[in-house]
Amino acid sequence: MFSLNNWNNKKSWENWVGYVTAEPEQKLTPSSVEELQSIIKQARIDKKRVRVTGAAHSFSGCAKPEEIAISLDNIRGLISVDKEKKQATLYAGTYLHEIGDALREHGLALENMGDVQAQTIAGAASTATHGTGITLGSVANQVVAWEWVDGTGELHTHERGNPETDDLGNALHVSLGMLGVFTKLTIQAVDIYGLRESNERLEFEEGLAGWHDAIHSHRHLEWFLFPGTNMLQQKTLSVIEPTPMRRGQKLKDNFESWVVLNGAFYLLSEIARIYPKLTKRVSQIAAGSVPNTFREGYSYEVFPTPRGVKFNETEYFIKLSDFDACITEVNDILLADNKNSHFPIEVRTHKGETGMLSPTQGEDSVVLSFHVYKGMDSDPLFDWVYEYMKKWNGRPHWGKVNKLSSEELHALYPQLKRFLEIREQYDPDKVFFNSWFEQKFQ
Ligand SMILES: Cc1cc2nc3c(=O)[nH]c(=O)nc-3n(C[C@H](O)[C@H](O)[C@H](O)COP(=O)(O)OP(=O)(O)OC[C@H]3O[C@@H](n4cnc5c(N)ncnc54)[C@H](O)[C@@H]3O)c2cc1C
Protein backbone atom coordinates (compact mmCIF):
# COMPACT_ATOMS: atom_id res chain seq x y z
CA MET A 1 0.00 0.00 0.00
CA PHE A 2 1.13 3.58 -0.69
CA SER A 3 2.73 5.33 2.29
CA LEU A 4 3.02 9.12 2.32
CA ASN A 5 5.82 8.83 4.91
CA ASN A 6 7.91 6.68 2.56
CA TRP A 7 7.12 9.09 -0.28
CA ASN A 8 8.32 12.07 1.78
CA ASN A 9 11.35 10.36 3.32
CA LYS A 10 12.83 8.97 0.10
CA LYS A 11 14.36 11.30 -2.48
CA SER A 12 13.98 8.77 -5.27
CA TRP A 13 10.82 7.19 -6.69
CA GLU A 14 10.26 3.61 -7.83
CA ASN A 15 7.35 1.49 -9.03
CA TRP A 16 5.92 -1.51 -7.17
CA VAL A 17 8.42 -4.04 -8.51
CA GLY A 18 11.32 -1.55 -8.29
CA TYR A 19 12.37 -1.70 -11.97
CA VAL A 20 11.17 1.78 -13.01
CA THR A 21 13.03 4.36 -10.95
CA ALA A 22 13.38 8.14 -11.01
CA GLU A 23 15.15 10.93 -9.15
CA PRO A 24 12.60 13.74 -9.41
CA GLU A 25 13.80 17.24 -8.54
CA GLN A 26 10.68 17.83 -6.45
CA LYS A 27 8.08 15.60 -4.82
CA LEU A 28 4.90 17.52 -4.06
CA THR A 29 1.71 16.65 -2.22
CA PRO A 30 -0.87 19.40 -2.83
CA SER A 31 -3.80 19.58 -0.41
CA SER A 32 -6.25 21.38 -2.67
CA VAL A 33 -7.14 21.70 -6.33
CA GLU A 34 -6.02 25.37 -6.25
CA GLU A 35 -2.59 24.34 -4.97
CA LEU A 36 -2.35 21.73 -7.72
CA GLN A 37 -3.26 24.38 -10.32
CA SER A 38 -0.49 26.72 -9.14
CA ILE A 39 2.07 23.88 -9.17
CA ILE A 40 1.22 23.13 -12.80
CA LYS A 41 1.18 26.81 -13.83
CA GLN A 42 4.62 27.28 -12.25
CA ALA A 43 5.99 24.08 -13.81
CA ARG A 44 4.89 25.33 -17.24
CA ILE A 45 6.64 28.67 -16.70
CA ASP A 46 9.79 26.88 -15.48
CA LYS A 47 9.58 24.42 -18.43
CA LYS A 48 9.47 21.47 -16.02
CA ARG A 49 7.65 18.22 -16.61
CA VAL A 50 5.10 16.89 -14.15
CA ARG A 51 3.81 13.38 -13.47
CA VAL A 52 1.13 12.47 -10.99
CA THR A 53 1.75 9.06 -9.55
CA GLY A 54 -0.91 7.03 -7.83
CA ALA A 55 0.20 3.93 -5.96
CA ALA A 56 3.04 3.33 -8.49
CA HIS A 57 1.50 -0.01 -9.43
CA SER A 58 2.22 0.37 -13.14
CA PHE A 59 4.98 -1.77 -14.62
CA SER A 60 5.45 0.51 -17.63
CA GLY A 61 7.08 3.94 -17.52
CA CYS A 62 3.71 5.70 -17.65
CA ALA A 63 3.96 6.98 -14.08
CA LYS A 64 7.70 7.76 -14.03
CA PRO A 65 8.13 11.28 -12.61
CA GLU A 66 11.35 12.57 -14.20
CA GLU A 67 11.24 16.20 -12.96
CA ILE A 68 8.26 16.96 -10.70
CA ALA A 69 6.41 14.15 -8.94
CA ILE A 70 2.96 14.78 -7.52
CA SER A 71 0.99 12.56 -5.18
CA LEU A 72 -2.72 13.26 -4.57
CA ASP A 73 -2.61 11.41 -1.25
CA ASN A 74 -3.98 14.59 0.39
CA ILE A 75 -6.78 14.91 -2.17
CA ARG A 76 -8.84 11.79 -1.57
CA GLY A 77 -12.11 10.49 -0.18
CA LEU A 78 -15.76 10.17 -1.10
CA ILE A 79 -17.32 13.57 -1.88
CA SER A 80 -20.98 12.77 -2.57
CA VAL A 81 -23.41 10.07 -3.61
CA ASP A 82 -26.43 10.45 -5.89
CA LYS A 83 -28.56 7.56 -4.61
CA GLU A 84 -31.10 7.79 -7.40
CA LYS A 85 -28.53 7.54 -10.18
CA LYS A 86 -26.31 5.21 -8.08
CA GLN A 87 -23.36 7.49 -8.82
CA ALA A 88 -20.53 8.45 -6.49
CA THR A 89 -18.08 11.34 -6.83
CA LEU A 90 -14.62 10.71 -5.44
CA TYR A 91 -11.45 12.73 -5.17
CA ALA A 92 -9.00 11.33 -7.69
CA GLY A 93 -6.40 10.28 -5.11
CA THR A 94 -8.80 7.87 -3.36
CA TYR A 95 -7.36 4.36 -3.09
CA LEU A 96 -9.52 1.48 -4.32
CA HIS A 97 -9.27 -0.16 -0.89
CA GLU A 98 -11.03 2.88 0.61
CA ILE A 99 -13.98 2.73 -1.77
CA GLY A 100 -15.66 -0.56 -0.77
CA ASP A 101 -16.59 0.46 2.80
CA ALA A 102 -17.45 4.02 1.76
CA LEU A 103 -19.92 2.85 -0.91
CA ARG A 104 -21.37 0.07 1.27
CA GLU A 105 -22.72 2.71 3.65
CA HIS A 106 -24.87 3.89 0.73
CA GLY A 107 -25.87 0.39 -0.39
CA LEU A 108 -23.56 0.58 -3.42
CA ALA A 109 -20.45 -1.11 -4.82
CA LEU A 110 -18.03 -0.93 -7.73
CA GLU A 111 -19.29 -2.93 -10.69
CA ASN A 112 -16.01 -4.81 -11.04
CA MET A 113 -12.46 -4.81 -9.67
CA GLY A 114 -9.07 -6.30 -10.51
CA ASP A 115 -7.09 -8.61 -8.26
CA VAL A 116 -5.54 -5.97 -5.99
CA GLN A 117 -6.93 -2.76 -4.51
CA ALA A 118 -3.83 -0.73 -3.70
CA GLN A 119 -4.27 1.55 -6.76
CA THR A 120 -5.87 4.98 -6.82
CA ILE A 121 -9.14 5.40 -8.68
CA ALA A 122 -7.47 7.90 -11.06
CA GLY A 123 -4.43 5.69 -11.70
CA ALA A 124 -6.64 2.66 -12.32
CA ALA A 125 -8.98 4.55 -14.67
CA SER A 126 -6.07 6.18 -16.53
CA THR A 127 -4.61 2.83 -17.66
CA ALA A 128 -7.93 0.96 -18.11
CA THR A 129 -7.29 -1.34 -15.17
CA HIS A 130 -9.79 -4.20 -15.34
CA GLY A 131 -10.99 -7.34 -13.64
CA THR A 132 -12.64 -10.23 -15.44
CA GLY A 133 -16.16 -10.74 -16.80
CA ILE A 134 -17.39 -10.87 -20.38
CA THR A 135 -20.29 -8.51 -19.60
CA LEU A 136 -18.09 -6.07 -17.66
CA GLY A 137 -15.77 -3.22 -18.64
CA SER A 138 -12.74 -1.60 -17.03
CA VAL A 139 -12.51 0.91 -14.19
CA ALA A 140 -12.33 3.59 -16.91
CA ASN A 141 -15.70 2.41 -18.16
CA GLN A 142 -17.26 3.04 -14.74
CA VAL A 143 -16.37 6.77 -14.92
CA VAL A 144 -19.24 9.02 -16.04
CA ALA A 145 -17.74 12.47 -15.28
CA TRP A 146 -14.29 13.94 -14.90
CA GLU A 147 -12.79 17.07 -13.32
CA TRP A 148 -9.18 17.80 -14.25
CA VAL A 149 -6.43 20.40 -14.35
CA ASP A 150 -4.86 20.72 -17.80
CA GLY A 151 -1.27 21.52 -18.78
CA THR A 152 -1.90 25.26 -18.49
CA GLY A 153 -3.32 24.97 -14.96
CA GLU A 154 -6.92 25.47 -16.06
CA LEU A 155 -9.72 23.44 -14.42
CA HIS A 156 -12.22 21.56 -16.63
CA THR A 157 -15.21 19.28 -16.18
CA HIS A 158 -16.86 16.91 -18.61
CA GLU A 159 -19.79 14.50 -18.41
CA ARG A 160 -19.70 11.40 -20.57
CA GLY A 161 -22.07 11.73 -23.53
CA ASN A 162 -23.12 9.48 -26.38
CA PRO A 163 -20.02 7.44 -27.32
CA GLU A 164 -20.84 7.93 -31.02
CA THR A 165 -20.31 11.68 -30.76
CA ASP A 166 -18.53 12.42 -27.48
CA ASP A 167 -14.97 12.91 -28.75
CA LEU A 168 -13.69 14.41 -25.53
CA GLY A 169 -15.27 11.67 -23.38
CA ASN A 170 -13.74 9.02 -25.64
CA ALA A 171 -10.34 10.70 -25.22
CA LEU A 172 -10.68 11.08 -21.43
CA HIS A 173 -11.80 7.45 -21.11
CA VAL A 174 -8.19 6.14 -21.08
CA SER A 175 -5.78 9.04 -21.19
CA LEU A 176 -2.74 8.14 -19.03
CA GLY A 177 -2.70 11.65 -17.58
CA MET A 178 -1.98 13.13 -21.03
CA LEU A 179 -4.94 15.54 -20.91
CA GLY A 180 -4.18 16.64 -17.36
CA VAL A 181 -4.41 15.66 -13.73
CA PHE A 182 -7.78 14.27 -12.65
CA THR A 183 -9.01 15.84 -9.43
CA LYS A 184 -12.50 14.30 -9.17
CA LEU A 185 -14.13 11.34 -10.86
CA THR A 186 -17.81 10.37 -10.78
CA ILE A 187 -18.41 6.67 -11.11
CA GLN A 188 -21.48 4.68 -12.01
CA ALA A 189 -21.83 2.23 -9.12
CA VAL A 190 -24.23 -0.72 -8.75
CA ASP A 191 -26.31 -2.08 -5.86
CA ILE A 192 -24.15 -3.76 -3.26
CA TYR A 193 -23.63 -7.48 -3.93
CA GLY A 194 -21.81 -10.44 -2.48
CA LEU A 195 -19.54 -12.93 -4.23
CA ARG A 196 -18.73 -16.58 -3.83
CA GLU A 197 -15.32 -17.64 -5.11
CA SER A 198 -14.59 -21.23 -6.16
CA ASN A 199 -11.34 -22.70 -7.43
CA GLU A 200 -10.61 -25.97 -9.19
CA ARG A 201 -7.70 -27.56 -11.05
CA LEU A 202 -8.33 -28.65 -14.62
CA GLU A 203 -6.38 -30.15 -17.47
CA PHE A 204 -6.01 -27.66 -20.33
CA GLU A 205 -8.27 -29.52 -22.80
CA GLU A 206 -11.01 -30.00 -20.18
CA GLY A 207 -10.85 -26.31 -19.24
CA LEU A 208 -11.02 -25.12 -22.85
CA ALA A 209 -13.94 -27.43 -23.69
CA GLY A 210 -16.05 -25.77 -20.97
CA TRP A 211 -14.65 -22.23 -21.17
CA HIS A 212 -17.17 -20.60 -23.55
CA ASP A 213 -20.14 -21.78 -21.49
CA ALA A 214 -18.41 -20.98 -18.23
CA ILE A 215 -17.60 -17.33 -19.11
CA HIS A 216 -21.33 -16.76 -19.58
CA SER A 217 -22.63 -18.82 -16.67
CA HIS A 218 -20.35 -17.09 -14.12
CA ARG A 219 -20.21 -13.31 -13.64
CA HIS A 220 -16.42 -13.61 -13.43
CA LEU A 221 -14.09 -16.33 -14.63
CA GLU A 222 -10.31 -16.35 -14.54
CA TRP A 223 -7.66 -18.89 -15.46
CA PHE A 224 -4.16 -19.33 -14.15
CA LEU A 225 -2.41 -21.48 -16.75
CA PHE A 226 0.82 -23.01 -15.44
CA PRO A 227 3.44 -22.79 -18.22
CA GLY A 228 4.84 -26.12 -19.39
CA THR A 229 2.36 -28.26 -17.39
CA ASN A 230 -0.89 -28.48 -19.38
CA MET A 231 -2.67 -27.66 -16.08
CA LEU A 232 -4.67 -24.66 -14.99
CA GLN A 233 -6.54 -23.22 -12.04
CA GLN A 234 -10.05 -22.05 -12.88
CA LYS A 235 -11.43 -19.43 -10.54
CA THR A 236 -15.06 -18.36 -10.72
CA LEU A 237 -16.98 -15.70 -8.83
CA SER A 238 -20.75 -15.86 -8.63
CA VAL A 239 -23.14 -13.33 -7.17
CA ILE A 240 -24.71 -14.05 -3.76
CA GLU A 241 -26.62 -11.97 -1.19
CA PRO A 242 -24.43 -9.16 0.18
CA THR A 243 -23.15 -10.34 3.54
CA PRO A 244 -19.80 -9.50 5.14
CA MET A 245 -17.01 -12.05 5.06
CA ARG A 246 -17.09 -14.02 8.30
CA ARG A 247 -14.27 -13.35 10.77
CA GLY A 248 -13.21 -17.02 10.72
CA GLN A 249 -13.09 -16.90 6.91
CA LYS A 250 -10.98 -13.72 7.03
CA LEU A 251 -8.45 -15.33 9.39
CA LYS A 252 -8.36 -18.51 7.25
CA ASP A 253 -8.03 -16.34 4.17
CA ASN A 254 -5.12 -14.40 5.60
CA PHE A 255 -3.37 -17.59 6.68
CA GLU A 256 -3.89 -19.29 3.31
CA SER A 257 -2.95 -16.20 1.33
CA TRP A 258 0.14 -15.21 3.23
CA VAL A 259 1.54 -18.46 4.60
CA VAL A 260 0.37 -21.14 2.18
CA LEU A 261 0.12 -19.29 -1.15
CA ASN A 262 2.53 -16.37 -0.91
CA GLY A 263 4.99 -18.02 1.52
CA ALA A 264 5.25 -21.31 -0.35
CA PHE A 265 5.21 -19.61 -3.76
CA TYR A 266 7.97 -17.25 -2.64
CA LEU A 267 10.20 -20.21 -1.69
CA LEU A 268 9.46 -21.95 -4.99
CA SER A 269 10.19 -18.73 -6.88
CA GLU A 270 13.52 -18.35 -5.10
CA ILE A 271 14.43 -21.89 -6.20
CA ALA A 272 13.46 -20.94 -9.77
CA ARG A 273 15.55 -17.77 -9.58
CA ILE A 274 18.65 -19.61 -8.34
CA TYR A 275 18.16 -22.62 -10.63
CA PRO A 276 16.28 -21.37 -13.74
CA LYS A 277 16.49 -24.87 -15.25
CA LEU A 278 14.03 -25.98 -12.54
CA THR A 279 11.29 -23.52 -13.55
CA LYS A 280 9.24 -26.22 -15.29
CA ARG A 281 9.37 -28.42 -12.20
CA VAL A 282 8.43 -25.45 -10.01
CA SER A 283 5.48 -24.71 -12.28
CA GLN A 284 4.38 -28.37 -11.98
CA ILE A 285 4.56 -28.23 -8.17
CA ALA A 286 2.56 -24.98 -8.14
CA ALA A 287 -0.05 -26.51 -10.50
CA GLY A 288 -0.25 -29.59 -8.30
CA SER A 289 -1.07 -27.56 -5.22
CA VAL A 290 -4.05 -25.59 -6.59
CA PRO A 291 -6.49 -25.51 -3.68
CA ASN A 292 -10.16 -26.49 -4.00
CA THR A 293 -11.27 -23.51 -1.94
CA PHE A 294 -14.37 -21.38 -1.47
CA ARG A 295 -14.70 -17.83 -0.11
CA GLU A 296 -17.72 -15.60 0.38
CA GLY A 297 -18.23 -11.98 1.36
CA TYR A 298 -18.97 -8.51 0.04
CA SER A 299 -17.66 -8.15 -3.52
CA TYR A 300 -14.80 -5.85 -2.47
CA GLU A 301 -13.68 -8.38 0.15
CA VAL A 302 -13.54 -11.23 -2.36
CA PHE A 303 -12.04 -9.53 -5.45
CA PRO A 304 -8.58 -8.72 -4.07
CA THR A 305 -5.95 -11.31 -3.27
CA PRO A 306 -2.65 -10.36 -1.65
CA ARG A 307 0.30 -10.30 -4.05
CA GLY A 308 3.22 -10.90 -1.70
CA VAL A 309 5.59 -12.32 -4.33
CA LYS A 310 6.89 -9.55 -6.57
CA PHE A 311 7.00 -9.87 -10.34
CA ASN A 312 7.24 -7.96 -13.60
CA GLU A 313 4.34 -8.18 -16.05
CA THR A 314 3.30 -7.79 -19.68
CA GLU A 315 -0.31 -8.12 -20.83
CA TYR A 316 -2.20 -8.19 -24.14
CA PHE A 317 -5.84 -7.95 -25.25
CA ILE A 318 -6.93 -10.21 -28.10
CA LYS A 319 -10.31 -10.72 -29.78
CA LEU A 320 -12.64 -13.18 -28.03
CA SER A 321 -13.08 -15.05 -31.32
CA ASP A 322 -9.30 -15.66 -31.52
CA PHE A 323 -9.04 -17.09 -28.02
CA ASP A 324 -9.20 -20.87 -28.64
CA ALA A 325 -6.56 -20.84 -31.37
CA CYS A 326 -4.29 -18.44 -29.51
CA ILE A 327 -4.39 -20.09 -26.10
CA THR A 328 -3.96 -23.58 -27.58
CA GLU A 329 -0.84 -22.39 -29.38
CA VAL A 330 0.48 -20.59 -26.28
CA ASN A 331 -0.02 -23.74 -24.21
CA ASP A 332 1.72 -25.91 -26.84
CA ILE A 333 4.66 -23.53 -27.28
CA LEU A 334 5.24 -23.32 -23.53
CA LEU A 335 4.93 -27.10 -23.15
CA ALA A 336 7.84 -27.39 -25.59
CA ASP A 337 9.83 -24.50 -24.08
CA ASN A 338 8.59 -22.75 -20.94
CA LYS A 339 11.04 -19.83 -21.50
CA ASN A 340 12.22 -20.08 -17.90
CA SER A 341 8.85 -18.94 -16.60
CA HIS A 342 6.98 -20.51 -13.72
CA PHE A 343 4.38 -17.83 -12.91
CA PRO A 344 0.90 -18.81 -14.12
CA ILE A 345 -0.45 -16.95 -17.16
CA GLU A 346 -3.60 -15.10 -16.18
CA VAL A 347 -6.53 -15.28 -18.59
CA ARG A 348 -9.45 -12.88 -18.14
CA THR A 349 -12.38 -11.66 -20.23
CA HIS A 350 -13.42 -8.07 -20.92
CA LYS A 351 -16.46 -6.49 -22.54
CA GLY A 352 -15.66 -4.30 -25.54
CA GLU A 353 -15.77 -0.59 -24.72
CA THR A 354 -15.38 2.64 -26.60
CA GLY A 355 -12.50 4.96 -25.82
CA MET A 356 -9.82 6.09 -28.22
CA LEU A 357 -7.12 4.30 -26.24
CA SER A 358 -9.18 1.41 -24.87
CA PRO A 359 -7.19 -1.78 -25.55
CA THR A 360 -10.46 -3.50 -26.46
CA GLN A 361 -11.24 -1.03 -29.28
CA GLY A 362 -14.91 -1.87 -28.87
CA GLU A 363 -14.54 -5.66 -29.17
CA ASP A 364 -15.26 -8.29 -26.54
CA SER A 365 -11.77 -9.41 -25.62
CA VAL A 366 -9.65 -11.89 -23.72
CA VAL A 367 -6.70 -10.58 -21.75
CA LEU A 368 -3.53 -12.65 -21.32
CA SER A 369 -1.01 -11.63 -18.65
CA PHE A 370 2.52 -12.99 -18.45
CA HIS A 371 4.62 -12.59 -15.29
CA VAL A 372 8.28 -13.06 -14.41
CA TYR A 373 9.50 -13.27 -10.82
CA LYS A 374 11.44 -10.23 -9.60
CA GLY A 375 15.17 -10.88 -9.97
CA MET A 376 14.77 -13.16 -12.99
CA ASP A 377 15.37 -12.05 -16.57
CA SER A 378 12.00 -11.18 -18.12
CA ASP A 379 13.39 -10.71 -21.66
CA PRO A 380 13.12 -14.33 -22.93
CA LEU A 381 9.39 -14.46 -22.11
CA PHE A 382 8.43 -10.83 -22.77
CA ASP A 383 10.34 -10.64 -26.10
CA TRP A 384 8.58 -13.77 -27.28
CA VAL A 385 5.17 -12.45 -26.14
CA TYR A 386 5.81 -9.13 -27.95
CA GLU A 387 6.59 -10.92 -31.24
CA TYR A 388 3.92 -13.57 -30.83
CA MET A 389 1.09 -11.12 -30.08
CA LYS A 390 1.60 -9.43 -33.48
CA LYS A 391 -0.09 -12.50 -35.00
CA TRP A 392 -3.29 -11.68 -33.06
CA ASN A 393 -3.11 -7.87 -33.27
CA GLY A 394 -2.70 -7.93 -29.48
CA ARG A 395 -3.02 -4.54 -27.80
CA PRO A 396 -1.00 -3.96 -24.65
CA HIS A 397 -2.22 -2.93 -21.20
CA TRP A 398 -0.89 0.62 -20.82
CA GLY A 399 0.25 0.02 -17.25
CA LYS A 400 2.31 -3.06 -18.10
CA VAL A 401 5.62 -3.56 -19.86
CA ASN A 402 5.41 -3.39 -23.65
CA LYS A 403 7.94 -2.85 -26.38
CA LEU A 404 5.63 -1.41 -29.01
CA SER A 405 6.79 1.61 -31.00
CA SER A 406 4.68 4.68 -31.72
CA GLU A 407 4.24 3.43 -35.29
CA GLU A 408 2.96 0.06 -34.11
CA LEU A 409 0.58 1.76 -31.67
CA HIS A 410 -0.86 3.97 -34.43
CA ALA A 411 -1.58 0.83 -36.47
CA LEU A 412 -3.40 -0.80 -33.53
CA TYR A 413 -5.27 2.35 -32.45
CA PRO A 414 -6.81 4.07 -35.51
CA GLN A 415 -8.04 6.98 -33.31
CA LEU A 416 -4.64 7.65 -31.74
CA LYS A 417 -4.01 10.53 -34.16
CA ARG A 418 -7.30 12.17 -33.11
CA PHE A 419 -6.46 11.54 -29.45
CA LEU A 420 -3.12 13.31 -29.86
CA GLU A 421 -4.84 16.32 -31.46
CA ILE A 422 -7.09 16.60 -28.40
CA ARG A 423 -4.07 16.11 -26.13
CA GLU A 424 -2.36 19.05 -27.86
CA GLN A 425 -5.31 21.32 -26.96
CA TYR A 426 -5.05 20.49 -23.25
CA ASP A 427 -1.30 20.26 -22.86
CA PRO A 428 0.38 22.24 -25.67
CA ASP A 429 3.79 22.28 -23.93
CA LYS A 430 3.82 18.56 -23.07
CA VAL A 431 4.06 19.32 -19.37
CA PHE A 432 2.74 15.83 -18.69
CA PHE A 433 5.20 13.96 -20.94
CA ASN A 434 8.20 11.89 -19.86
CA SER A 435 10.65 9.80 -21.91
CA TRP A 436 8.19 6.85 -22.03
CA PHE A 437 5.50 9.08 -23.57
CA GLU A 438 8.04 10.57 -26.03
CA GLN A 439 8.76 7.06 -27.28
CA LYS A 440 5.16 5.83 -27.45
CA PHE A 441 3.18 8.87 -28.58
CA GLN A 442 4.70 10.62 -31.57
C1 LIG B 1 0.38 -6.39 -7.89
C2 LIG B 1 -0.35 -5.72 -9.03
C3 LIG B 1 -1.59 -6.20 -9.42
C4 LIG B 1 -2.26 -5.60 -10.49
N1 LIG B 1 -3.48 -6.10 -10.86
C5 LIG B 1 -4.11 -5.57 -11.94
C6 LIG B 1 -5.38 -6.09 -12.37
O1 LIG B 1 -5.96 -6.98 -11.75
N2 LIG B 1 -5.93 -5.55 -13.50
C7 LIG B 1 -5.32 -4.56 -14.22
O2 LIG B 1 -5.85 -4.14 -15.24
N3 LIG B 1 -4.15 -4.02 -13.80
C8 LIG B 1 -3.55 -4.51 -12.68
N4 LIG B 1 -2.36 -3.96 -12.26
C9 LIG B 1 -1.86 -2.74 -12.95
C10 LIG B 1 -2.40 -1.48 -12.25
O3 LIG B 1 -3.74 -1.60 -11.89
C11 LIG B 1 -2.30 -0.26 -13.17
O4 LIG B 1 -1.02 -0.11 -13.66
C12 LIG B 1 -2.79 1.03 -12.47
O5 LIG B 1 -2.72 2.08 -13.38
C13 LIG B 1 -2.00 1.41 -11.24
O6 LIG B 1 -2.67 2.43 -10.53
P1 LIG B 1 -1.86 3.43 -9.62
O7 LIG B 1 -2.82 4.18 -8.76
O8 LIG B 1 -0.78 2.71 -8.93
O9 LIG B 1 -1.31 4.44 -10.70
P2 LIG B 1 0.20 4.68 -11.23
O10 LIG B 1 0.76 3.38 -11.67
O11 LIG B 1 0.95 5.45 -10.21
O12 LIG B 1 -0.14 5.58 -12.48
C14 LIG B 1 -0.77 5.04 -13.62
C15 LIG B 1 -0.98 6.14 -14.64
O13 LIG B 1 -2.03 7.00 -14.21
C16 LIG B 1 -1.56 8.34 -14.15
N5 LIG B 1 -2.26 9.00 -13.06
C17 LIG B 1 -2.23 8.69 -11.75
N6 LIG B 1 -3.01 9.55 -11.07
C18 LIG B 1 -3.53 10.40 -11.97
C19 LIG B 1 -4.42 11.51 -11.89
N7 LIG B 1 -4.92 11.93 -10.73
N8 LIG B 1 -4.74 12.15 -13.03
C20 LIG B 1 -4.25 11.76 -14.22
N9 LIG B 1 -3.40 10.74 -14.35
C21 LIG B 1 -3.06 10.04 -13.23
C22 LIG B 1 -0.07 8.20 -13.94
O14 LIG B 1 0.65 9.36 -14.28
C23 LIG B 1 0.24 7.03 -14.85
O15 LIG B 1 0.29 7.44 -16.19
C24 LIG B 1 -1.67 -4.50 -11.18
C25 LIG B 1 -0.42 -4.02 -10.78
C26 LIG B 1 0.23 -4.62 -9.71
C27 LIG B 1 1.58 -4.10 -9.28
Side-chain angles (χ1 to χ4, degrees):
M1 299 290 173
F2 180 87
S3 147
L4 192 57
N5 273 346
N6 282 352
W7 163 277
N8 283 328
N9 293 339
K10 261 181 142 180
K11 200 176 166 300
S12 59
W13 175 94
E14 62 181 39
N15 72 341
W16 177 80
V17 64
Y19 289 171
V20 183
T21 58
E23 295 282 337
E25 294 160 20
Q26 294 181 69
K27 283 166 117 185
L28 304 172
T29 49
S31 298
S32 66
V33 174
E34 294 72 25
E35 196 184 335
L36 175 67
Q37 285 179 277
S38 24
I39 290 171
I40 292 170
K41 281 182 187 158
Q42 193 57 48
R44 187 176 179 225
I45 294 166
D46 297 342
K47 297 195 184 336
K48 295 286 177 197
R49 287 181 162 185
V50 174
R51 259 286 125 194
V52 181
T53 81
H57 267 50
S58 292
F59 298 91
S60 71
C62 71
K64 185 178 178 180
E66 289 170 343
E67 293 182 338
I68 298 176
I70 295 181
S71 162
L72 297 190
D73 196 73
N74 290 328
I75 306 184
R76 56 187 236 258
L78 178 65
I79 302 167
S80 62
V81 171
D82 180 332
K83 278 207 162 182
E84 216 164 283
K85 290 184 176 165
K86 298 181 186 164
Q87 292 179 350
T89 300
L90 297 148
Y91 281 115
T94 311
Y95 298 99
L96 296 185
H97 62 82
E98 297 173 316
I99 298 178
D101 281 337
L103 289 187
R104 178 175 45 82
E105 292 183 11
H106 301 274
L108 298 174
L110 291 177
E111 184 189 46
N112 198 7
M113 292 175 73
D115 55 20
V116 298
Q117 53 176 352
Q119 308 96 315
T120 58
I121 184 76
S126 297
T127 61
T129 288
H130 60 92
T132 185
I134 196 60
T135 59
L136 302 166
S138 67
V139 173
N141 209 47
Q142 296 169 32
V143 179
V144 292
W146 302 261
E147 180 191 273
W148 76 103
V149 178
D150 75 9
T152 67
E154 205 180 313
L155 191 65
H156 301 269
T157 56
H158 183 73
E159 276 186 34
R160 197 189 281 277
N162 179 346
E164 300 285 316
T165 49
D166 182 15
D167 244 20
L168 181 56
N170 288 337
L172 284 163
H173 182 82
V174 178
S175 54
L176 291 154
M178 280 190 273
L179 305 189
V181 179
F182 294 141
T183 46
K184 289 180 195 168
L185 295 174
T186 301
I187 50 162
Q188 182 63 56
V190 296
D191 287 326
I192 187 164
Y193 57 104
L195 286 174
R196 178 168 211 257
E197 174 186 319
S198 313
N199 287 286
E200 60 182 329
R201 186 174 66 229
L202 297 173
E203 287 216 0
F204 176 77
E205 291 75 13
E206 188 189 359
L208 189 57
W211 188 81
H212 287 275
D213 286 342
I215 60 167
H216 293 289
S217 56
H218 297 281
R219 191 173 190 263
H220 313 267
L221 182 135
E222 183 167 9
W223 271 9
F224 298 91
L225 174 63
F226 294 89
T229 70
N230 208 45
M231 298 299 296
L232 60 93
Q233 172 181 353
Q234 178 162 290
K235 170 174 153 181
T236 56
L237 301 175
S238 300
V239 175
I240 56 168
E241 282 302 306
T243 41
M245 192 178 275
R246 289 202 321 271
R247 202 175 126 72
Q249 170 79 67
K250 267 190 188 158
L251 291 172
K252 186 169 166 280
D253 228 36
N254 277 337
F255 178 77
E256 278 174 2
S257 296
W258 286 107
V259 180
V260 182
L261 290 176
N262 282 300
F265 195 56
Y266 168 73
L267 289 176
L268 284 173
S269 298
E270 275 297 287
I271 292 171
R273 184 179 65 79
I274 298 164
Y275 306 105
K277 285 208 168 92
L278 293 181
T279 45
K280 198 164 185 164
R281 183 75 196 111
V282 165
S283 187
Q284 281 162 348
I285 295 170
S289 51
V290 167
N292 263 339
T293 50
F294 298 93
R295 309 191 302 146
E296 290 182 354
Y298 288 131
S299 57
Y300 63 91
E301 295 176 308
V302 175
F303 279 126
T305 42
R307 290 280 183 261
V309 183
K310 292 218 168 176
F311 53 82
N312 203 12
E313 185 172 346
T314 188
E315 178 178 300
Y316 284 80
F317 291 62
I318 60 162
K319 270 197 246 172
L320 179 63
S321 52
D322 285 337
F323 176 65
D324 293 34
C326 173
I327 198 69
T328 302
E329 204 169 53
V330 167
N331 187 49
D332 285 348
I333 290 170
L334 294 177
L335 273 173
D337 169 11
N338 74 330
K339 308 198 187 301
N340 281 354
S341 68
H342 68 283
F343 258 74
I345 298 157
E346 250 177 303
V347 178
R348 293 180 274 187
T349 53
H350 197 303
K351 184 183 79 170
E353 61 192 40
T354 53
M356 294 176 180
L357 300 190
S358 163
T360 66
Q361 289 292 290
E363 299 207 63
D364 288 351
S365 301
V366 183
V367 195
L368 308 182
S369 320
F370 301 81
H371 312 74
V372 171
Y373 180 51
K374 181 175 180 174
M376 291 181 74
D377 182 8
S378 44
D379 283 349
L381 183 68
F382 288 7
D383 286 354
W384 168 73
V385 174
Y386 161 67
E387 290 299 333
Y388 179 72
M389 282 297 158
K390 288 180 187 170
K391 176 171 175 179
W392 307 102
N393 287 325
R395 291 189 200 91
H397 186 306
W398 295 109
K400 303 194 181 174
V401 175
N402 80 76
K403 301 192 174 178
L404 279 85
S405 65
S406 177
E407 209 183 343
E408 287 171 315
L409 290 170
H410 274 281
L412 290 168
Y413 292 87
Q415 291 169 287
L416 178 52
K417 189 165 173 287
R418 176 71 189 124
F419 174 87
L420 293 176
E421 285 164 9
I422 296 174
R423 187 213 69 73
E424 174 86 31
Q425 289 166 31
Y426 288 94
D427 183 22
D429 300 311
K430 292 189 172 171
V431 171
F432 300 121
F433 260 43
N434 66 16
S435 46
W436 185 84
F437 287 89
E438 293 289 0
Q439 193 252 328
K440 301 282 179 210
F441 297 101
Q442 286 164 16

